[in-house]
Amino acid sequence: MEITTKGIDEFVVKVLSEVGRSLVIDTTKNKLVDTKKDRNDLVTNFDKSTEQFVVSMIKEAYPEATIVSEEGFGDDVQSMDGLVFFVDPIDGTMNFVKRGDDFASMIGVYLDGKPFIGGIIDVMRNKIFHGGPNYGIFCDNEKINLPENKALIDGLIDISAPMALNNYLNTQEVVKNSSGLRVYGSAGIIFEHLLLGKEVMYMSYLAPWDLAAGRVLCEGAGLSVTSVDDTPVNMLKSQVVIAGTQNVVSEVLKTVKNCD
Amino acid sequence: MEITTKGIDEFVVKVLSEVGRSLVIDTTKNKLVDTKKDRNDLVTNFDKSTEQFVVSMIKEAYPEATIVSEEGFGDDVQSMDGLVFFVDPIDGTMNFVKRGDDFASMIGVYLDGKPFIGGIIDVMRNKIFHGGPNYGIFCDNEKINLPENKALIDGLIDISAPMALNNYLNTQEVVKNSSGLRVYGSAGIIFEHLLLGKEVMYMSYLAPWDLAAGRVLCEGAGLSVTSVDDTPVNMLKSQVVIAGTQNVVSEVLKTVKNCD
């Protein structure tokens, strides 16, 4: 299939719609829950079946693409050349299992290393955020109002609980200079909050599939996404990421650097 | 008007419906924001107008009642004798101002010191949780399924950010023994999560109007609500409160006591 932003965008929306329809029903079912790295790193049968479905859809539509995915049904990708899909079948699996809300499914698409199209479905609200740079950022069929370039003092921020509790790189100073801390527990849901201007900064240790779609959408919406050492993010490894308004990210980087 | 649980419950639902309809529109309007105790303790013109509306409705329907309310339009209540209403016009004012979601309006009703009827509206989801002990707990017109008596290790918990960040009374140990920390920033919204079994514990410093409705509903749903020193809550003062499943509250009290 020819690679166009419109074509990929429509494909991502179509796949996420089907994923969302299925996951809404899955929240009501018994889940087979297993752990990965530790007691609170969960995976369910639905993470796996969703990823298998998304990977098979991508392979059918874009057989030349490579796929980076959370549960291992994708490829062993070593290069960002060509068309690369990042798949997070259920982002916020803990929320999916314990709450039945505030979880997402995400697909990020990169072309020769550059952000191309991203898609995030907030499953229980049935909203799909999608689009990319030079294309526009949409919620379902409507272009979103781009978030204001707010300052830290004017906004709520979301930091992963372990980082905030351990005052990692002086993050408690960042909290003190903001309107307050929130912890929602799903990167996809928090990227949604950034796009809608509900929060002004997110900091967490993210794997490529946690970050890929959100980075495309944030950059397309004029937000800033950087690694915590102020170098560009590397899409083939896990890293601590700061995403937010230009003003907030530059202020947070200063606080974090003072910690060295 | 004769005082019956059914009568008060219907009155609370009617008032909260009207409040909700009005606040949904108010989120789209410019807000006059002022601060109270500190930079992040906000109050808006809508907190005040909503409280005035609720207080006037109560005074009309139950002129014999006394009213404890956040913004000062109620009475100077020194006794829990008779019928006492607690009014929190907008709970989570920071969320109301910065996010436009995850805020609530709450009315708690006590008769001779005993929990009688509580009502919480999750404004943006348009859901009213209401009812009381010996009456039933409802979401809109349906009785809710009472939350399971889960253990700490099996559930997400919500602790106010300042307490968690400062490891107040060893709360970080509590987080470590749970499925994880969430911070939603509104007592009303978190009480909703407890009632629905989405979280298993909430700990925060709460004023009477923050606590009153949630306590009635939680106790009516078989959950436990206590002050952090394991004495019954005092409805006429602010205090650190622990609310959650019986199992979790008893486990948390042990951790907190070990801190002495």
Side-chain angles (χ1 to χ4, degrees), chain A residues 39 101-102 176 184 198, chain B residues 39 101-102 176 184 198:
Chain A
R39 172 170 70 78
D101 66 9
D102 282 343
K176 223 171 279 169
Y184 275 81
K198 292 174 185 235
Chain B
R39 172 170 71 76
D101 65 10
D102 282 343
K176 223 171 281 169
Y184 275 81
K198 292 174 185 236

Side-chain angles (χ1 to χ4, degrees), chain B residues 206-219:
Chain B
L206 298 179
W209 44 83
D210 297 319
L211 172 62
R215 180 192 168 200
V216 176
L217 293 170
C218 283
E219 291 186 358

Side-chain angles (χ1 to χ4, degrees), chain A residues 2 6 13 24 69 75 90 103 116 121 185 206 220 253-254:
Chain A
E2 200 201 351
K6 187 163 186 295
V13 169
V24 165
S69 61
D75 307 310
I90 302 180
F103 63 91
F116 196 62
I121 182 166
L206 298 178
L253 283 172
K254 276 179 218 153

